[in-house]
Amino acid sequence: MDFKGQHILEAKQFDKEGLLALFEEAKKMEGILDNGGGDLMKDKIMATLFFEPSTRTRFSFETAMHRLGGSVISNPDMMRTSSLKKSETLEDTGKTVSQMADVIVMRHPEAGSVAKLASKSDVPVLNAGDGAHDHPTQGLLDVYTIWREKGGLDGLTVGMVGDLKYGRVVHAECEMLSYFDVKFVFVSPEGLKMPEGLVDDARELVNLEEVIGELDVISMTRIQRERFESEEEYNKYAGLYVLDAELMKKAKDDSIVIHPLPRVDEISVEVDYDPRAKYFDQPRYGVAVRMALLKMVMA
Ligand code: NCD
């Protein structure tokens, strides 16, 4: 797979070979991180355009760029403070910013919006989350975490737990894991099931306790409050899944727990001290993965 000059908009752009090549590159980037960074992106500029809240994703992309010696121009509040407020189109914004930056990273609440901006951009655009649709780089870093922590992907049973309907990260994870010999278990309430067509042969159930002992990977996700039509609708699901120390006693000794974060209450803080909890290791893996992606897209 040749990523050079490509927009990264969807998880399904990757194939198995491309994923594994990216992971090998990310592992090398971990070494560069250990040494404080490099200069591969010297003289390059990244623009980060965020139309939705973010802690990890924006900082992660910006850290990746800085660690590779590049620079960043950033607007974390595009919705309020950019010219879109004056009715400029996403297409014109893309064309304009691409005259200044060498790569654009964008997050937006609407599915398809990043592709819209990318359609007129003269430089690669990387999707940092578009509504409930996709979040390819978080998918990459989640799958990379599994690959690193479990030493591979084939033969694993992966449970995805929580809001599988609106969770753009689980959608990306599914897409990427489906290239491997992975057994999927989807744990969600009836109203928040995984959309049809992502994976054909998953086991679906509502109760996590019933299945936790069979999982090699417990992939937790928050109920995506901002995607619901009303607060009342959200409240039907709030607090439904809580992974706590008691429940972790039933999980395999060599299982791992991942979560893209932020968490609300779906993982108790006590689980943070369990060596199987890997969600606070993920941010560092995320920087390495994004460094690798920048190299593949730009160098
Ligand atoms: C995720 C997102 O924004 O979709 N967060 C992230 O990028 N780390 C998950 C979420 O918000 O629940």
Side-chain angles (χ1 to χ4, degrees), residues 3 11 14-31 136-149 151-154 172-173 175-177 179-180 285-286 288-293 296:
F3 293 94
F14 294 84
D15 57 18
K16 183 172 181 168
E17 185 199 34
L19 280 177
L20 292 172
L22 184 83
F23 291 171
E24 291 298 345
E25 194 59 53
K27 208 167 162 192
K28 287 187 203 146
M29 291 298 179
E30 284 189 54
T137 66
Q138 181 70 44
L140 284 174
L141 91 85
D142 288 1
V143 178
Y144 180 69
T145 302
I146 303 171
W147 182 78
R148 285 283 279 111
E149 295 291 337
L153 295 160
D154 289 326
E173 268 179 30
E175 204 72 72
M176 290 170 176
L177 284 171
Y179 299 130
F180 299 89
Y285 287 144
V289 163
R290 290 178 174 119
M291 286 164 76
L293 193 63
M296 289 184 148

Side-chain angles (χ1 to χ4, degrees), residues 8 23 88 131 149 151 163 167 198 212 215 218 247 256 261 278:
I8 304 295
F23 291 171
E88 184 166 52
E149 295 291 337
D163 184 347
L198 273 172
I212 194 166
L215 306 178
I218 306 163
L247 197 48
I256 60 168
L261 302 175
K278 300 298 175 194

Side-chain angles (χ1 to χ4, degrees), residues 258-275:
I258 61 171
H259 191 310
L261 302 175
R263 87 173 126 191
V264 182
D265 49 12
E266 59 282 353
I267 302 182
S268 302
V269 173
E270 63 202 19
V271 178
D272 299 357
Y273 305 99
D274 188 312

Side-chain angles (χ1 to χ4, degrees), residues 58-196:
R58 188 167 66 87
F59 279 166
S60 178
F61 269 111
E62 296 185 356
T63 303
M65 193 62 178
H66 284 300
R67 291 286 186 201
L68 289 174
S71 11
V72 176
I73 50 174
S74 184
N75 185 340
D77 193 9
M78 288 291 286
M79 209 63 120
R80 250 178 13 97
T81 66
S82 74
S83 280
L84 285 125
K85 194 72 184 163
K86 305 180 197 166
S87 307
E88 184 166 52
T89 60
L90 284 172
E91 288 89 339
D92 283 359
T93 303
K95 185 77 186 171
T96 303
V97 177
S98 71
Q99 308 312 306
M100 298 180 265
D102 303 290
V103 63
I104 296 173
V105 177
M106 172 180 168
R107 166 174 289 186
H108 194 283
E110 209 177 287
S113 53
V114 181
K116 215 188 252 183
L117 181 135
S119 70
K120 290 290 167 67
S121 168
D122 295 326
V123 301
V125 177
L126 315 181
N127 181 3
D130 62 330
H133 172 230
D134 211 325
H135 190 350
T137 66
Q138 181 70 44
L140 284 174
L141 91 85
D142 288 1
V143 178
Y144 180 69
T145 302
I146 303 171
W147 182 78
R148 285 283 279 111
E149 295 291 337
K150 299 295 295 177
L153 295 160
D154 289 326
L156 297 178
T157 300
V158 179
M160 298 189 183
V161 186
D163 184 347
L164 307 185
K165 178 179 178 186
Y166 296 118
R168 55 193 175 195
V169 176
V170 283
H171 302 162
E173 268 179 30
C174 263
E175 204 72 72
M176 290 170 176
L177 284 171
S178 62
Y179 299 130
F180 299 89
D181 175 23
V182 160
K183 263 198 228 155
F184 289 96
V185 179
F186 296 156
V187 183
S188 75
E190 274 301 320
L192 298 180
K193 282 165 87 164
M194 189 69 83
E196 300 278 330

